[in-house]
Amino acid sequence: MSEPLLKVSAASVAYGKVEAVRSVSLDVGAGEIVTIIGANGAGKTTLLNAIMGILPLKGGVTFDGQPISRLEIEDRVAMGLSIVPEHRELFGTMTVEENLQLGAFRAPRAEASTALERVNALFPRLKERRTQLAGTLSGGEQQMLAMGRALMGQPKLLMLDEPSLGLAPLIVADIFRIIGELRQAGVAVLLVEQNARAALAIADRAYVMELGDFILNGSAKEIADDKRVAASYLGFQHEGSSAL
Ligand code: ATP
């Protein structure tokens, strides 16, 4: 097998003396959707932020074949790594289009306009609302805008932190459909989700995180079929019943 796009080896992240992520290893191949599922406080956000360089990490991280642990965030972005944070972090008093343009502020003008066309094709809603202030968008539209802004940098790997958080089921379905389209466009996705059912339905592979550690990993199907996962994360009351 060729070298994965992202390779995390024995990575630990601590807040002071508290180790929130304990020696985890993970990889994501080019164009693959990999999900990390787990309860609140398991360490998922901490791990994504550390891969992005927002938090310091002990251990190895390579991206596109190069070690990145010592790189600044902006250098990681330039290599094709991007994150959509849990709280979206949009500029509410700027328009949709201005927010998008911020995602490509380092790119040459022609490249930025190609990226904008792609984002508009993926999210027609954003195109319709391009002159609207970001702060006046619905929660689902804000999530689309946060994803669109990250995609403006034309990443090879997009890390999504809880994209479904606080959104109505119909909008969640829309967001997950778009995540599937990203794979078709060749963008790899590392998806952190509490909505394990939706995440496992779309992912190629999955890791299950508990108390800072991966307790299981495998194909998304294997993980979805695991009895412990079904009981803890998929809301099954008994085998064969379907919750949600
Ligand atoms: P959530 O879905 O709630 O974000 P998570 O799996 O992403 O959960 P993290 O947010 O990464 O989990 O939290 C992992 C652990 O680190 C938790 O015990 C949390 O309390 C702790 N933690 C998170 N942020 C900080 C911080 N800034 N300072 C100290 N401890 C923190």
Side-chain angles (χ1 to χ4, degrees):
M1 208 182 100
S2 62
E3 179 84 354
L5 180 60
L6 173 73
K7 189 170 176 57
V8 176
S9 317
S12 301
V13 191
Y15 297 102
K17 286 190 177 146
V18 180
E19 222 174 27
V21 173
R22 298 176 202 167
S23 195
V24 302
S25 298
L26 145 156
D27 54 74
V28 181
E32 196 180 29
I33 300 182
V34 174
T35 187
I36 305 172
I37 59 172
N40 250 332
K44 308 179 298 298
T45 297
T46 300
L47 178 59
L48 286 200
N49 286 341
I51 293 170
M52 196 66 227
I54 299 165
L55 290 171
L57 171 151
K58 242 175 45 192
V61 188
T62 61
F63 185 70
D64 221 359
Q66 290 184 45
I68 60 165
S69 314
R70 289 161 191 263
L71 296 186
E72 299 292 332
I73 297 171
E74 61 197 65
D75 295 327
R76 300 182 199 212
V77 172
M79 286 181 74
L81 183 62
S82 193
I83 190 167
V84 179
E86 187 171 334
H87 299 293
R88 297 168 195 151
E89 292 165 23
L90 299 169
F91 294 94
T93 56
M94 291 169 68
T95 66
V96 166
E97 195 154 297
E98 285 165 346
N99 270 278
L100 288 177
Q101 274 156 355
L102 282 176
F105 77 101
R106 279 160 57 121
R109 189 179 283 247
E111 220 172 90
S113 90
T114 310
L116 184 60
E117 269 171 38
R118 284 203 195 137
V119 168
N120 281 335
L122 205 53
F123 302 101
R125 278 276 261 291
L126 296 182
K127 189 175 181 189
E128 280 164 31
R129 296 180 185 268
R130 65 184 180 280
T131 58
Q132 196 170 320
L133 297 184
T136 66
L137 297 176
S138 70
E141 289 162 351
Q142 290 193 9
Q143 180 60 40
M144 290 178 192
L145 180 53
M147 288 169 67
R149 185 179 58 184
L151 289 167
M152 286 292 290
Q154 309 203 61
K156 293 179 184 148
L157 173 64
L158 185 64
M159 298 192 285
L160 296 170
D161 195 355
E162 301 278 1
S164 76
L165 197 70
L167 304 181
L170 266 181
I171 310 288
V172 173
D174 225 20
I175 298 277
F176 275 84
R177 179 184 52 73
I178 291 164
I179 295 172
E181 288 178 18
L182 288 179
R183 172 172 46 200
Q184 282 165 15
V187 181
V189 174
L190 180 56
L191 170 68
V192 155
E193 258 296 339
Q194 280 191 45
N195 186 340
R197 183 179 300 265
L200 291 172
I202 198 167
D204 300 302
R205 289 189 300 111
Y207 294 80
V208 182
M209 196 169 201
E210 273 181 16
L211 297 174
D213 208 352
F214 293 145
I215 57 155
L216 273 178
N217 73 79
S219 74
K221 177 159 185 348
E222 280 163 8
I223 298 295
D225 289 344
D226 185 278
K227 285 200 177 79
R228 283 171 296 172
V229 172
S232 304
Y233 301 106
L234 300 178
F236 281 105
Q237 304 303 310
H238 53 81
E239 222 169 26
S241 77
S242 78
L244 271 188

